[in-house]
């Protein structure tokens, strides 16, 4: 709309040349968080940079459409609906503020809608850039098995890659002092817990078995689960440790736990 005043000059040229006057329409400007015109000083980037940040084209198109146009309270607008619904009457008159959080929220929505295998294909370049190597078939299988948990915790493909990096670490080590402390506090009980879990290794029973084990030792399940998580992944945060055990399976989970305990 900063070209609105130009339209009056252009009209004179059309009239003078005897041309048919087109319909002029001006979309609102995009402003930065401070209310000023979006520019490089706000960190404005080309769309290619957002792609490198792990933003989906669907999310970017949806977000840019909603910056200057609206249809009721609709926020999620797929491409086919955008084409069907778009009209000039829906274009706003006030400037819109570029809000990165809203873009990331949309991106997380489109991430959850994607099939796991397709999402892994999109995430692979980001994962392999972080690991510095190609993923093995086994590691890809781990990522696919964990995908529901990973994408629930991610807003971009970079987030998704980061959230699953523990799946690519062959021999996990505690990531920090807190993790080391948690591992040491639970070290004496973890082998017995693993023995108990292996007696009935099933997705629906792992948590209940661990909860029963914790109660028999006058412990809260949260404390025990944190120690188990560090032993298997090296991390203090992430998807449910019981889901992680399902992803790795009994044999790999036992191997990782044994390795971790040997290091302390």
């Amino acid at each position: 709309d900063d070209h609105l005043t130009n339209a009056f000059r252009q009209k004179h040229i059309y009239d003078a040349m005897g041309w048919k006057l087109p319909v002029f329409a001006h979309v609102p400007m995009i402003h930065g968080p401070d209310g000023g015109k979006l520019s490089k000083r706000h960190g404005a980037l080309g769309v290619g940079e957002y792609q490198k940040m792990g933003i989906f084209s669907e999310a970017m198109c949806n977000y840019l459409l909603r910056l200057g146009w609206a249809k009721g309270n609709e926020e999620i607008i797929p491409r086919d609906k955008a084409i069907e619904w778009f009209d000039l009457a829906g274009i706003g008159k006030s400037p819109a503020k570029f809000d990165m959080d809203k873009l990331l929220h949309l991106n997380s929505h489109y991430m959850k809608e994607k099939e796991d295998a397709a999402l892994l294909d999109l995430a692979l370049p980001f994962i392999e850039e972080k690991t510095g190597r190609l993923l093995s078939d086994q590691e890809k299988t781990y990522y696919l098995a964990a995908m529901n948990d990973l994408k629930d915790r991610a807003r971009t493909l970079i987030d998704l890659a980061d959230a699953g990096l523990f799946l690519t670490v062959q021999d996990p080590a505690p990531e920090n002092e807190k993790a080391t402390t948690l591992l040491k506090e639970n070290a004496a009980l973890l082998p017995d817990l693993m023995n108990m879990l292996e007696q009935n290794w099933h997705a629906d029973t792992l948590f209940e078995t661990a909860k029963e084990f914790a109660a028999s030792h006058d412990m809260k399940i949260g404390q025990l689960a944190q120690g188990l998580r560090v032993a298997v992944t090296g991390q203090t945060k992430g998807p449910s440790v019981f889901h992680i055990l399902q992803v790795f399976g009994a044999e790999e989970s036992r191997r990782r736990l044994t390795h971790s305990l040997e290091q302390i």
Side-chain angles (χ1 to χ4, degrees):
D1 62 3
D2 56 344
H3 289 286
L4 179 61
T5 55
N6 299 350
F8 300 99
R9 300 171 185 169
Q10 293 161 7
K11 178 184 182 301
H12 289 307
I13 296 174
Y14 275 92
D15 290 343
M17 299 301 294
W19 296 335
K20 181 181 178 181
L21 191 68
V23 174
F24 289 94
H26 297 80
V27 297
M29 299 294 294
I30 302 175
H31 285 184
D34 61 356
K37 181 179 176 181
L38 189 66
S39 64
K40 290 183 178 179
R41 67 185 175 86
H42 295 108
L45 305 170
V47 291
E49 294 304 312
Y50 290 100
Q51 184 181 38
K52 293 176 184 177
M53 293 163 59
I55 303 294
F56 300 115
S57 61
E58 302 99 308
M60 179 59 75
C61 287
N62 191 156
Y63 183 64
L64 290 178
L65 173 66
R66 285 291 288 109
L67 273 180
W69 179 87
K71 181 177 177 63
N73 294 319
E74 299 287 342
E75 290 292 337
I76 307 300
I77 306 176
R79 194 82 56 89
D80 59 340
K81 288 298 183 183
I83 294 170
E84 177 186 342
W85 291 346
F86 184 81
D87 58 10
L88 294 180
I91 296 177
K93 296 181 180 180
S94 300
K97 286 187 180 181
F98 188 89
D99 187 330
M100 192 64 184
D101 282 338
K102 288 185 179 180
L103 174 57
L104 292 175
H105 173 73
L106 275 174
N107 207 57
S108 67
H109 167 81
Y110 283 102
M111 178 178 293
K112 291 178 177 65
E113 281 199 332
K114 290 188 179 295
E115 294 290 335
D116 289 349
L119 190 54
L120 178 59
D121 286 341
L122 292 169
L124 269 179
F126 295 90
I127 301 169
E128 292 173 346
E129 180 180 355
K130 289 177 177 294
T131 60
R133 60 177 175 80
L134 299 178
L135 257 61
S136 68
D137 289 340
Q138 181 62 73
E139 289 168 333
K140 292 177 184 178
T141 299
Y142 288 156
Y143 257 97
L144 276 176
M147 192 61 77
N148 274 337
D149 285 319
L150 298 179
K151 65 185 180 183
D152 278 345
R153 305 174 64 85
R155 297 199 293 177
T156 69
L157 288 171
I158 292 177
D159 291 344
L160 187 69
D162 285 336
L165 283 181
F166 70 88
L167 299 167
T168 70
V169 178
Q170 184 73 7
D171 296 316
E175 62 181 350
N176 52 37
E177 186 175 339
K178 178 183 177 182
T180 301
T181 299
L182 286 169
L183 183 59
K184 289 180 177 179
E185 288 176 350
N186 293 275
L189 295 177
L190 289 178
D192 290 340
L193 171 60
M194 185 59 69
N195 289 336
M196 191 170 176
L197 291 174
E198 286 177 328
Q199 291 174 18
N200 186 18
W201 192 276
H202 190 275
D204 297 331
T205 60
L206 289 173
F207 173 76
E208 291 302 328
T209 301
K211 188 176 180 180
E212 179 184 334
F213 181 88
S216 69
H217 289 81
D218 295 322
M219 294 179 63
K220 291 183 177 180
I221 182 61
Q223 179 185 348
L224 187 63
Q226 283 186 311
L228 183 59
R229 180 196 303 282
V230 174
V232 176
T233 70
Q235 300 178 349
T236 58
K237 296 179 180 180
S240 163
V241 66
F242 302 103
H243 291 173
I244 294 169
L245 293 178
Q246 294 170 33
V247 169
F248 283 136
E251 183 178 347
E252 176 64 9
S253 296
R254 163 75 73 174
R255 188 197 68 76
R256 286 169 168 257
L257 183 143
T258 301
H259 169 81
S260 294
L261 294 180
E262 288 173 349
Q263 307 308 306
I264 60 175

